Amino acid sequence: MSASTAPVTTTVTGWGRTAPTAARLIRPRTYEEAAAAVRECGARGGIPRGLGRAYGDAAQNAGGAVFDMTGLDRIHAIDADDGTVLCGAGVSLHRLMEVLLPLGWFVPVTPGTRQVTVGGAIGADIHGKNHHVSGSFSRHVLSFELLTADGEIRTVGRGTPLFDATAGGMGLTGVILTATLRLLPVETSLMSVDTERASDLDDLMARLAGTDHRYRYSVAWIDLLARGAATGRAVLTRGDHAPLDALPARARARALEFRTPRFPAAPAFLPEGLLSRTTVGLFNELWYRKAPRARTGELQRISSFFHPLDGVPHWNRVYGRGGFVQYQFVVGHGREDTLRRIVRRIADRRCPSFLAVLKRFGEADPGWLSFPLPGWTLALDIPAGLPGLGAFLDGLDEEVATAGGRVYLAKDSRLRPELLAAMYPRLDDFRALRARVDPRGVFVSDLSRRLAL
């Protein structure tokens, strides 16, 4: 084993910083080093990890190995005519944007941060503001190379069982080494954005259901502290990539520049209780009031529209030493009453959440453990130290499962395993395939142990 891949025992945690565990961190830079790391990972197995933006314990492995795949960060080939890219699994979406935007191409799906790797995007089958149009990330993956537990490197194409188990499989089928992606053509690096207020949850859902088809991207910030007639009030933001003729003539020569603002990092520690119901309530009131009642055609940078928090390094520190839980669930169309009940329960519970978003999902994706299904998805951040939070979220889990919905594994840190089969109908297929390709249980994580994946 080379010096670059020599394991270093360290504490590993998710972005929510709620359940740190110790593991041997190994950073391979070549296929051979990756194969050696898998072969020598030990009795506690190993799990691949990207840039650490899974909120829970999906990329942790207590007492075992964690493979830091960011060393495989080469962009191998770009077909600027056909709109495809072949890249290493450790390439970040940020790096792809830097390289591809000047050529007139954009990543087909991006979540709320560009600081995720391509391998992680496939493993979590990430979604973005355009799921109702474009589906999740794996829908745009043509193929990938997968290092399996037997040391074999397999080229995995769309429509195969191994592809469908790996897309959303949280790294448990093997280590993704490279991927070939289909890209989205764009004329500028700006977005044309429409913003409007919704007075309550029903108003918001009506606006989303009635007009989402007009927009490629759509998301609503929702005030989960508002109650009474204002329950679920929101700011709805939708848009598409701005065409060249939407820019002033003087700006067209630089139309494809990718610029990202950067602000000071959050302090290492903030006082516990800073995000109280009072302070978050004040923030939510100001955020809702400052939003325009209706504004159309505003030009925004891609970074501002998609990734505003990326401009604040280590923003997850604002929740204090105890960290935070990000809770995201989806319920299908026809289950709007379940969504209404959950929003009312969160509002009545006075959960201090200022990062809460509601979106509509389109058609489900083929991954057996992929999160999206046609319907409504709500995501919210909650300080982990909130009294009674575990029992409260357990109750929401029950309601989601009863409605045929599911929680997002890439953000989960506390789901009870007995609910998993109700949420993911292809779970038995996933377990069976995993047993075939990894009979010795080489690939394992804190998440997989907790949920018996």
Side-chain angles (χ1 to χ4, degrees):
M1 185 172 290
S2 70
S4 66
T5 56
V8 177
T9 299
T10 187
T11 299
V12 181
T13 185
W15 192 245
R17 304 167 69 208
T18 55
T21 54
R24 291 176 296 111
L25 193 67
I26 306 170
R27 190 170 190 255
R29 296 180 180 275
T30 65
Y31 285 18
E32 293 76 17
E33 289 179 350
V38 169
R39 186 170 58 248
E40 300 166 16
C41 63
R44 292 283 288 179
I47 192 71
R49 179 182 176 93
L51 287 167
R53 291 305 179 102
Y55 284 78
D57 54 3
Q60 299 174 214
N61 182 21
V66 171
F67 313 127
D68 176 350
M69 300 307 297
T70 57
L72 273 69
D73 59 355
R74 288 183 56 200
I75 297 177
H76 297 285
I78 299 170
D79 188 330
D81 295 323
D82 191 42
T84 60
V85 60
L86 168 63
C87 61
V91 174
S92 69
L93 298 193
H94 174 88
R95 179 59 180 153
L96 284 180
M97 293 176 196
E98 283 185 323
V99 172
L100 295 172
L101 266 170
L103 303 177
W105 297 98
F106 190 62
V107 295
V109 171
T110 178
T113 174
R114 59 187 179 275
Q115 302 300 333
V116 296
T117 62
V118 169
I122 297 170
D125 203 12
I126 60 170
H127 56 271
K129 300 176 182 180
N130 59 339
H131 191 277
H132 63 291
V133 172
S134 303
S136 60
F137 194 85
S138 67
R139 195 179 297 186
H140 308 273
V141 176
L142 302 180
S143 64
F144 52 79
E145 288 182 302
L146 186 72
L147 172 64
T148 49
D150 57 7
E152 182 181 348
I153 296 175
R154 311 184 189 204
T155 299
V156 183
R158 294 176 54 81
T160 63
L162 189 53
F163 186 103
D164 293 344
T166 303
M170 307 312 298
L172 296 170
T173 61
V175 178
I176 298 171
L177 300 173
T178 65
T180 301
L181 315 176
R182 185 164 296 285
L183 306 169
L184 177 71
V186 296
E187 295 181 8
T188 74
S189 61
L190 296 174
M191 305 297 296
S192 177
V193 181
D194 294 353
T195 305
E196 59 191 285
R197 287 192 217 163
S199 59
D200 58 32
L201 183 59
D202 284 339
D203 181 29
L204 172 61
M205 289 194 292
R207 291 171 188 254
L208 285 166
T211 59
D212 251 9
H213 62 279
R214 302 177 190 168
Y215 299 89
R216 180 179 294 275
Y217 303 100
S218 178
V219 67
W221 169 87
I222 184 169
D223 182 358
L224 291 177
L225 283 174
R227 293 187 290 180
T231 299
R233 68 179 180 176
V235 177
L236 179 56
T237 307
R238 296 179 289 187
D240 207 336
H241 297 275
L244 188 61
D245 59 15
L247 275 60
R250 64 182 183 279
R252 293 177 187 175
R254 297 181 287 110
L256 289 169
E257 280 187 354
F258 180 49
R259 291 178 291 167
T260 58
R262 191 171 181 87
F263 303 102
F269 296 105
L270 291 176
E272 297 296 328
L274 181 66
L275 296 183
S276 66
R277 294 181 179 96
T278 300
T279 57
V280 174
L282 178 61
F283 171 87
N284 287 2
E285 182 69 26
L286 294 173
W287 192 261
Y288 181 77
R289 294 297 175 189
K290 86 174 186 64
R293 293 186 182 275
R295 181 175 61 200
T296 60
E298 180 190 15
L299 293 180
Q300 294 183 10
R301 294 180 183 177
I302 274 176
S303 56
S304 300
F305 181 75
F306 289 108
H307 316 117
L309 287 175
D310 279 352
V312 184
H314 308 294
W315 65 262
N316 56 340
R317 294 174 179 170
V318 303
Y319 292 88
R321 295 174 186 270
F324 69 100
V325 172
Q326 176 149 127
Y327 185 70
Q328 183 170 5
F329 70 90
V330 58
V331 292
H333 294 304
R335 297 291 186 169
E336 286 78 9
D337 283 347
T338 300
L339 176 63
R340 292 185 184 98
R341 271 196 310 274
I342 290 176
V343 169
R344 283 197 299 269
R345 288 181 64 180
I346 294 169
D348 290 342
R349 181 68 170 72
R350 308 296 287 156
C351 292
S353 176
F354 69 95
L355 292 175
V357 296
L358 182 73
K359 294 180 288 196
R360 288 176 73 243
F361 281 158
E363 294 182 10
D365 299 287
W368 293 345
L369 296 186
S370 290
F371 169 64
L373 57 82
W376 304 90
T377 181
L378 177 66
L380 61 149
D381 292 352
I382 313 172
L386 192 69
L389 180 61
F392 177 70
L393 293 180
D394 283 348
L396 298 191
D397 290 342
E398 295 276 2
E399 194 153 359
V400 168
T402 299
R406 57 185 62 148
V407 300
Y408 191 15
L409 297 182
K411 296 183 177 180
D412 176 59
S413 58
R414 27 126 332 260
L415 179 68
R416 300 199 315 272
E418 60 267 25
L419 293 178
L420 196 63
M423 293 181 171
Y424 289 90
R426 300 298 299 271
L427 179 62
D428 285 344
D429 293 329
F430 176 81
R431 285 171 169 159
L433 183 139
R434 187 176 172 219
R436 291 196 302 273
V437 299
D438 185 8
R440 296 182 293 112
V442 170
F443 297 109
V444 65
S445 65
D446 291 354
L447 173 82
S448 71
R449 289 192 186 95
R450 175 169 56 84
L451 296 179
L453 282 172

